[in-house]
Amino acid sequence: MKKLILLATSMLIYGMLLAQDSGKAAAEKKSFIAFHGGPSFPIGDFGKKGSANAAGDLVNEGADNAKTGYNFNLNCGYLFTKNAGVSVGVFYNKYPTRPFTMTIPDSEIQSISLDMGKWQYYGIAAGPLMSFAVNKNISSDVKVMAAAVSVKSPKISYSGIVMAEGSTNWAPALAGGIDLRFNTGKDWFLYANAEYMYMQPRFTYTYSSEIADLGTTEKVEQQINVVNVNVGIGFSF
């Protein structure tokens, strides 16, 4: 958490320093809206491959087998002054997963693979925005945002039999990113964005198949760290 706060502070300071040195604004209009999407890369434990060894101990405890996914966003910005404003956005992310492999000692099977469903979440984010002009046709924004996110964990199944359905819960999140706006005319612009998001949702799994103990519940806490790299189009007004 200390590293995240340091990152957020550094990005705001960076934006303020660049804003002081910026020339004329790429556009005099104070508001803009942009739709963008692209790949989303899980990092840290969220993207690590998890498994269990012959002793039943977890390998890479905390790993959750997420693979590269995708995200879509709709962002609005409003500048109170030439360089400072606020950003509000909604987003949707989805990630496929790797199977969870468990070693079975002294067995002809040797190992089994539990199929994991997909991680997905959506939410709304808002926070301060620092904007500066790179030149007369390009603007850049640095933003730090807090978010409310609805996260759905993947279901767990074996050979087509669902052992536990995914669980949904709300969680707070923090995000920071840098945007570039390339003016293509009076009002329209091309949009590029790189953004980091962190959250730590909690879930309760209830195993319901004949394979697992019926009615068994398990509480899970998962750190989710992702980097989104997006392109899109926007409109100034």
Side-chain angles (χ1 to χ4, degrees):
M1 181 61 69
K2 291 182 179 179
K3 291 182 179 179
L4 193 62
I5 294 173
L6 179 61
L7 173 64
T9 304
S10 299
M11 292 180 67
L12 280 176
I13 294 175
Y14 174 72
M16 293 172 67
L17 291 175
L18 287 175
Q20 291 177 358
D21 294 332
S22 63
K24 292 184 178 180
E28 295 181 357
K29 297 180 179 180
K30 292 185 176 182
S31 303
F32 64 87
I33 186 170
F35 175 77
H36 52 103
S40 182
F41 303 99
I43 59 176
D45 287 342
F46 188 50
K48 289 181 180 178
K49 180 176 175 57
S51 61
N53 58 27
D57 298 323
L58 292 176
V59 179
N60 290 333
E61 185 173 1
D64 215 69
N65 296 334
K67 299 194 295 185
T68 300
Y70 60 86
N71 74 115
F72 295 106
N73 306 262
L74 183 66
N75 282 101
C76 298
Y78 179 78
L79 296 176
F80 300 117
T81 67
K82 178 181 177 181
N83 300 121
V86 63
S87 177
V88 178
V90 292
F91 53 88
Y92 174 78
N93 291 51
K94 194 170 187 177
Y95 306 87
T97 58
R98 306 176 187 88
F100 182 89
T101 304
M102 183 179 298
T103 302
I104 308 296
D106 303 324
S107 171
E108 295 180 358
I109 301 177
Q110 297 298 318
S111 66
I112 62 173
S113 291
L114 301 180
D115 296 322
M116 309 287 287
K118 293 178 173 61
W119 283 96
Q120 54 187 318
Y121 58 82
Y122 63 88
I124 183 170
L129 169 74
M130 299 298 300
S131 183
F132 61 94
V134 178
N135 59 40
K136 66 178 182 178
N137 290 318
I138 302 175
S139 294
S140 182
D141 309 314
V142 179
K143 57 188 180 184
V144 177
M145 297 182 292
V149 189
S150 176
V151 189
K152 184 176 182 179
S153 62
K155 67 179 180 181
I156 302 172
S157 58
Y158 175 70
S159 296
I161 301 174
V162 176
M163 299 174 61
E165 294 288 351
S167 176
T168 302
N169 200 4
W170 284 89
L174 290 175
I178 298 176
D179 311 330
L180 288 174
R181 290 180 279 134
F182 303 87
N183 287 346
T184 59
K186 182 178 178 181
D187 300 316
W188 293 94
F189 59 85
L190 298 178
Y191 187 86
N193 159 271
E195 184 177 88
Y196 168 79
M197 178 171 283
Y198 168 84
M199 69 190 85
Q200 193 168 344
R202 298 177 180 179
F203 306 99
T204 300
Y205 274 102
T206 300
Y207 296 96
S208 56
S209 78
E210 295 179 358
I211 298 176
D213 293 333
L214 294 177
T216 298
T217 60
E218 179 183 6
K219 293 185 178 181
V220 179
E221 185 174 83
Q222 178 65 50
Q223 288 190 7
I224 296 179
N225 299 267
V226 300
V227 173
N228 303 323
V229 180
N230 299 321
V231 293
I233 191 170
F235 183 79
S236 299
F237 57 96

